[in-house]
Amino acid sequence: MSNLVSQNSTTCATGAELAQKVAAVSPDWKWAPLDESTLAILVPSDQDPRMVSKEYFVSMLEYCEDLQMEQVIALFDRKDVDLSNTFAKTLRYIGFRALSPDNIPTPIDASAHFAMVYEI
């Protein structure tokens, strides 16, 4: 995931607006489009769910829908992920589901990341 950068492959304006949407949710998140229909977000393993704006998170998902994206993938460092009481658990409640390592898209290193997907 180290090769993910805050750029969008469509236009600079769209990329800048998406960067603002993601940063509004959490300034610690990194993001990149994997293709024209998939947004990947790297979520810190110690992300406190109480520090994430629900309003801005929904706004970000709606913006992805407006861009006609089909899915948002949340990525966590595999060695640090804990599904019992972390942000990953919170994502399950709003419709994200775990991806098996075989279904994690390239260029994401499936051995290093735990991924959850939200279908738009």
Side-chain angles (χ1 to χ4, degrees), residues 26-56:
S26 175
D28 297 327
W29 289 8
K30 302 206 180 333
W31 67 275
L34 295 180
D35 57 39
E36 65 278 350
S37 66
T38 305
L39 175 68
I41 299 171
L42 180 60
V43 180
S45 299
D46 62 350
Q47 177 67 63
D48 183 346
R50 296 170 295 182
M51 301 306 293
V52 173
S53 167
K54 293 174 191 135
E55 178 183 343
Y56 289 131

Side-chain angles (χ1 to χ4, degrees), residues 57-103:
F57 190 79
V58 169
S59 176
M60 179 194 69
L61 292 176
E62 288 173 346
Y63 187 69
C64 289
E65 183 177 12
D66 291 344
L67 294 177
Q68 298 183 358
M69 291 186 168
E70 296 174 7
Q71 56 188 3
V72 174
I73 297 178
L75 299 165
F76 300 86
D77 189 347
R78 184 172 288 283
K79 68 179 173 36
D80 295 329
V81 73
D82 174 9
L83 297 178
S84 62
N85 59 3
T86 62
F87 191 66
K89 181 178 179 180
T90 302
L91 290 178
R92 287 189 352 216
Y93 288 117
I94 60 170
F96 280 76
R97 62 177 175 76
L99 278 176
S100 72
D102 294 339
N103 291 327

